[in-house]
Amino acid sequence: MNIQNARIHGKLQNLRIENGKILEITDKPLAAALDVKGKRVIPGLIDVHSHGCMGLDTMDADFEKMCLYYARHGTTSWLPTTMTMSYEAISRVCRAKTDFRGTHILGFHLEGPYISKKYKGAQNEAYIKNPSAEDFKQFERVKMITIAPELPGSMAFTREVSPHCVVSIGHTDCDYETAMEAIENGASCLTHTYNAMPPFHHRAPGPIGAGFEKHIYAQVICDGFHVLKPVVLATYRMFGPERMTIISDSIRPAGLPDGHYESGGLEVVLEGGIARLTDGTIAGSSSTLWTCVKKAVEFGIPFDDAVRMASATPAEMLGVPKGKLLPGYDADLLVLGDNDEIETVIIDGEVL
């Protein structure tokens, strides 16, 4: 399929697509093309941190409906993100069927079980363990793992695992020095920056200060609640669009009305679009990644940068040929209509 009259970065262009790849971007007319009539076209979004939606959760190991939901809301690739649960439960997820119509599953993000009890957030403390590279080998197709680098064995784990998947610092009580050591051993990302970690203090910069100094990736839940506007803008200035990565961190109630739900074996209450445990602890979000991108733009981040932080930046972090409208990249695209709302989703060069 070819696409004609696509407005890309303000310029009308045509895309020649074959076998799910962008082969050429040209001003010349193309045969058998979908004419999008000057509408804005952007890369499909990539969510590296999302647990679930529509009453479904990664731990259910059943992704068909989730892949369709995410695709219809502009996320064309994602990493299903596990909770801190038993090894058996996590292994079951990593072995699950993933080739469904809709959003591509690029692999898995293990959020735990190698995390801090103090900063466990909405994770189940009963399943927290110290890092073990030997144990980790049982998990298939892992693209990212969140760890607390202050735990015994974390540095050796990071050295062994980081050549094969992204090691992200999160759910941690580590100080600046420990975070710096973890980064020097191969950690390259912060998990939902600011949430479930020590704050960025002028005399105790912690993992956020270390991440900024070492220019690693920084995930941010840009739903307008987990991280407020001034801090989102400050993080954008600190890390830049090449390192700040917008995530949804959506959980089971996303897309559903207010009510009581379960996530990771814990009761979650969704009220006013905000998810909390029964003790008041903030849980994940109820937003889509596209909603988070629009919130970033509302906060004052330039549109192209906001899109980049949810497409090209996570793609670069994962090392996949996605997230850019360039020859050689996967033809995962979004056509935007009035008010920049998603009108058409294209995955592998095919209209969803």
Side-chain angles (χ1 to χ4, degrees), residues 270-311:
L270 183 67
E271 185 175 355
I274 297 171
R276 298 180 184 270
L277 301 183
T278 53
D279 66 1
T281 300
I282 298 171
S285 85
S286 61
S287 299
T288 65
L289 189 56
W290 178 240
T291 302
C292 293
V293 168
K294 292 193 295 181
K295 181 62 69 173
V297 175
E298 178 187 317
F299 283 169
I301 292 175
F303 180 86
D304 285 348
D305 281 354
V307 170
R308 188 197 204 288
M309 293 188 291
S311 55

Side-chain angles (χ1 to χ4, degrees), residues 53-83:
C53 59
M54 296 301 291
L56 300 166
D57 187 272
T58 291
M59 298 309 302
D60 299 336
D62 184 0
F63 300 109
E64 185 172 11
K65 292 180 181 178
M66 285 194 277
C67 285
L68 277 176
Y69 176 85
Y70 287 128
R72 288 167 180 159
H73 289 84
T75 297
T76 56
S77 296
W78 70 304
L79 298 184
T81 305
T82 62
M83 301 289 285

Side-chain angles (χ1 to χ4, degrees), residues 116 118-121 147-150 169-179 190-211 231 238:
S116 161
K118 179 178 178 181
Y119 282 98
K120 64 182 184 295
I147 71 163
E150 72 274 17
I169 298 171
H171 286 279
T172 177
D173 191 29
C174 76
D175 57 16
Y176 164 80
E177 290 79 12
T178 304
L190 297 174
T191 292
H192 45 48
T193 310
Y194 303 104
N195 291 279
M197 63 178 60
F200 181 41
H201 188 275
H202 57 290
R203 286 191 299 273
I208 300 167
V231 184
M238 288 171 64

Side-chain angles (χ1 to χ4, degrees), residues 2-287:
N2 298 323
I3 300 175
Q4 194 148 299
N5 295 319
R7 183 160 54 92
I8 302 172
H9 301 302
K11 182 180 179 181
L12 285 182
Q13 295 183 298
N14 306 318
L15 292 85
R16 186 160 66 91
I17 296 170
E18 190 174 308
N19 297 323
K21 293 281 188 180
I22 300 171
L23 296 187
E24 181 184 15
I25 298 180
T26 178
D27 298 329
K28 300 176 183 178
L30 297 173
L34 171 67
D35 189 350
V36 297
K37 301 178 180 179
K39 292 173 181 172
R40 179 181 254 167
V41 175
I42 63 172
L45 308 184
I46 302 170
D47 200 345
V48 300
H49 192 144
S50 179
H51 296 277
C53 59
M54 296 301 291
L56 300 166
D57 187 272
T58 291
M59 298 309 302
D60 299 336
D62 184 0
F63 300 109
E64 185 172 11
K65 292 180 181 178
M66 285 194 277
C67 285
L68 277 176
Y69 176 85
Y70 287 128
R72 288 167 180 159
H73 289 84
T75 297
T76 56
S77 296
W78 70 304
L79 298 184
T81 305
T82 62
M83 301 289 285
T84 296
M85 298 290 283
S86 69
Y87 277 168
E88 181 182 6
I90 296 170
S91 292
R92 176 173 167 265
V93 171
C94 293
R95 294 192 302 268
K97 177 179 169 63
T98 56
D99 56 336
F100 295 108
R101 180 171 177 263
T103 304
H104 288 294
I105 293 178
L106 303 179
F108 296 97
H109 175 179
L110 271 53
E111 190 176 18
Y114 309 140
I115 62 171
S116 161
K117 291 184 178 180
K118 179 178 178 181
Y119 282 98
K120 64 182 184 295
Q123 304 277 355
N124 194 329
E125 182 176 332
Y127 296 105
I128 291 175
K129 299 177 181 292
N130 290 330
S132 167
E134 189 61 35
D135 290 350
F136 180 73
K137 291 176 183 178
Q138 70 186 283
F139 305 124
E140 303 171 14
R141 299 178 289 174
V142 178
K143 288 290 187 181
M144 178 180 292
I145 182 164
T146 292
I147 71 163
E150 72 274 17
L151 296 178
S154 286
M155 299 306 167
F157 177 88
T158 301
R159 283 194 302 273
E160 184 164 342
V161 168
S162 58
H164 312 292
C165 77
V166 175
V167 175
S168 189
I169 298 171
H171 286 279
T172 177
D173 191 29
C174 76
D175 57 16
Y176 164 80
E177 290 79 12
T178 304
M180 288 289 283
E181 185 181 357
I183 295 167
E184 288 162 3
N185 277 282
S188 58
C189 186
L190 297 174
T191 292
H192 45 48
T193 310
Y194 303 104
N195 291 279
M197 63 178 60
F200 181 41
H201 188 275
H202 57 290
R203 286 191 299 273
I208 300 167
F212 168 65
E213 182 175 338
K214 288 294 189 179
H215 202 50
I216 66 172
Y217 292 95
Q219 303 171 27
V220 176
I221 309 170
C222 195
D223 61 354
F225 171 69
H226 281 79
V227 185
L228 297 185
K229 175 181 176 179
V231 184
V232 169
L233 293 176
T235 309
Y236 168 69
R237 296 292 184 186
M238 288 171 64
F239 287 86
E242 297 82 13
R243 285 295 184 267
M244 179 171 154
T245 304
I246 296 176
I247 60 170
S248 72
D249 196 14
S250 66
I251 59 174
R252 193 186 295 274
L256 296 176
D258 287 356
H260 290 251
Y261 301 92
E262 177 274 335
S263 180
L266 303 174
E267 184 178 357
V268 172
V269 180
L270 183 67
E271 185 175 355
I274 297 171
R276 298 180 184 270
L277 301 183
T278 53
D279 66 1
T281 300
I282 298 171
S285 85
S286 61
S287 299

Side-chain angles (χ1 to χ4, degrees), residues 332-346:
D332 300 337
L333 326 167
L334 306 180
V335 180
L336 307 183
D338 296 337
N339 299 316
D340 280 336
E341 291 298 336
I342 297 169
E343 185 173 285
T344 305
V345 177
I346 298 170

